[in-house]
Amino acid sequence: MAHCTITSGLVRDVRFPTSLENHGSDAMHTDPDYSCAYLVLKTDHQRGLEGHGFTFTIGRGTDIVVAAVEAFLPLVCNKNTNDIYRRFGEFYHELANETQLRWLGPEKGVTHLALAAVLNALWDLWGKLEEKPVWQLVSELTPEQIVSLVDFTYITDVVTPEEALIMLQNASETAPKRLDNLRRHGYPAYITSAGWYGYTNEQIEHLLKESLADGWRKFKVKVGRNAKEDRRRLELVREIVGPDVDVMVDANQRWSVNEAIEYMCQLDGLNLVWIEEPTSPDDVIGHRRIKEAMKPLDILVATGEHCQNRVMFKQFMVDGAMDICQIDSCRLGGLNEVLAVLLMAAKLGVRVCPHAGGVGLCELVQHIIAIDYLLFATTTEGRVCEYADHLHQHFIEPPQVRGGVYYLPQRSGYTQIMDRSLSHYEYPTGSVWKQLIDQGKH
């Protein structure tokens, strides 16, 4: 394994003013400015390799996450990468359980968001050292190596390292065939870009027709504030896309349990695939009640975008409180913890449909869906990954999405924002923000 020493880290507060055009708006978050705490790990590598990673935020508070990322840097800097990657699962555990920082979580909230940025940067660096995209790096590891990446703390009552090894060994036998299928046909996706809450009906109609022309056949629409208005909007959506296209709805935690059940009953008859985040993301009992109430309506319950860690996912899955597991590449503690959730989902037969509505999330989950298909789920049946068509122009390698399908990324590493975009959108000193502030637009 090629290696180097991590010499320093630089964290930046990067924000994009998406609230100006209502991009990303939903019933709970009406004015998001898609943002990230962006970390660059510098090294002494002879080719000047850097590890780039980030965690997703929506504006105010990003500076708090930046400070939390900086708190982790002394635990990473001056480390040799060989010492990190040969015991990566243990290193994850050490970071997540640093004896004082863990008091601020543990493994939840701002410190866990910050941990995601650190881990994402480490994965990006590993991919660059091996000259492979992260999905390929992971898929070419041995089952034993993959098991060693996972922190099994608190989840051995669901899946043990020994069970995980057998699962991975069985999946590896047919992985080459799946890889060929993935290269040829890609991974199914749905699009959220036409359904933001702050969009007018005219915008929605235009974007839906544009997406249909581009080959999209799966759509998600935001709901949550007014059932009658939402029904009218969804009837418009159905009129445009037709009866045979998949339509999902997302309430973004807007309702109490009883409100969610009553609200969704008012949307009956629209042939909806799932209701996403109907109530508090921590309410396992509530989600199970909603899931039972949705069965007569033939509507699934999806959640996980704000599920804080593998232990919460364990409870949702074991308790039967979710039909669809929506992992988030920046809410969990990086790819190491994502792998733990993929293992549990594969063992328990829960479908994984990752969340990806945010800056850089599509760029990250394109690796995760490939890893899940190749090594864990071994099927795309009933699975689909979110795509939102925003801000990809700021990335060195935007996701390759055509005709409603993700195709495999080819660039070494995880993902990386262009340097000029980091400079323009750094808050509040970047040129874009200086102009907006001077104009009184922000």
Short mmCIF file of all heavy atoms in Angstrom, two decimals, residues 18 41 93 112 209 294 321 439:
data_model
loop_
_atom_site.label_atom_id
_atom_site.label_comp_id
_atom_site.label_asym_id
_atom_site.label_seq_id
_atom_site.Cartn_x
_atom_site.Cartn_y
_atom_site.Cartn_z
N THR A 18 -28.61 28.90 -2.15
CA THR A 18 -29.73 28.23 -2.82
C THR A 18 -31.09 28.76 -2.36
O THR A 18 -32.09 28.59 -3.06
CB THR A 18 -29.66 26.71 -2.60
OG1 THR A 18 -29.47 26.45 -1.19
CG2 THR A 18 -28.50 26.10 -3.35
N LEU A 41 -7.07 17.61 3.86
CA LEU A 41 -5.94 17.04 4.58
C LEU A 41 -4.70 17.12 3.70
O LEU A 41 -4.66 16.54 2.61
CB LEU A 41 -6.22 15.59 4.96
CG LEU A 41 -7.35 15.35 5.97
CD1 LEU A 41 -7.57 13.85 6.16
CD2 LEU A 41 -7.05 16.03 7.31
N HIS A 93 -13.14 3.90 15.51
CA HIS A 93 -13.62 3.78 16.88
C HIS A 93 -12.90 4.77 17.80
O HIS A 93 -13.52 5.39 18.67
CB HIS A 93 -13.43 2.35 17.38
CG HIS A 93 -13.94 2.12 18.76
ND1 HIS A 93 -15.25 1.82 19.05
CD2 HIS A 93 -13.31 2.17 19.97
CE1 HIS A 93 -15.42 1.69 20.35
NE2 HIS A 93 -14.24 1.88 20.94
N HIS A 112 -20.67 14.31 15.31
CA HIS A 112 -20.74 13.19 14.36
C HIS A 112 -20.74 13.71 12.92
O HIS A 112 -20.16 13.07 12.03
CB HIS A 112 -21.98 12.35 14.64
CG HIS A 112 -21.76 10.88 14.42
ND1 HIS A 112 -20.66 10.20 14.90
CD2 HIS A 112 -22.50 9.95 13.76
CE1 HIS A 112 -20.74 8.92 14.55
NE2 HIS A 112 -21.84 8.75 13.86
N LYS A 209 -41.76 18.07 -16.97
CA LYS A 209 -41.75 17.77 -18.41
C LYS A 209 -40.32 17.68 -18.93
O LYS A 209 -39.99 16.81 -19.75
CB LYS A 209 -42.52 18.85 -19.17
CG LYS A 209 -44.03 18.78 -18.94
CD LYS A 209 -44.77 19.89 -19.69
CE LYS A 209 -46.28 19.75 -19.48
NZ LYS A 209 -47.02 20.85 -20.16
N MET A 294 -50.08 2.66 7.15
CA MET A 294 -49.93 2.85 5.71
C MET A 294 -50.15 1.57 4.91
O MET A 294 -50.34 1.63 3.69
CB MET A 294 -48.53 3.41 5.39
CG MET A 294 -48.29 4.85 5.86
SD MET A 294 -49.44 6.07 5.19
CE MET A 294 -50.57 6.28 6.59
N ALA A 321 -39.66 -0.73 11.89
CA ALA A 321 -40.22 0.62 11.84
C ALA A 321 -39.93 1.34 10.53
O ALA A 321 -40.36 2.47 10.35
CB ALA A 321 -39.70 1.44 13.01
N GLN A 439 -25.11 43.84 -1.61
CA GLN A 439 -26.37 44.14 -2.28
C GLN A 439 -27.58 44.01 -1.35
O GLN A 439 -28.70 44.28 -1.76
CB GLN A 439 -26.56 43.22 -3.49
CG GLN A 439 -25.55 43.44 -4.60
CD GLN A 439 -25.65 42.40 -5.70
OE1 GLN A 439 -26.31 41.37 -5.55
NE2 GLN A 439 -25.01 42.66 -6.82
#
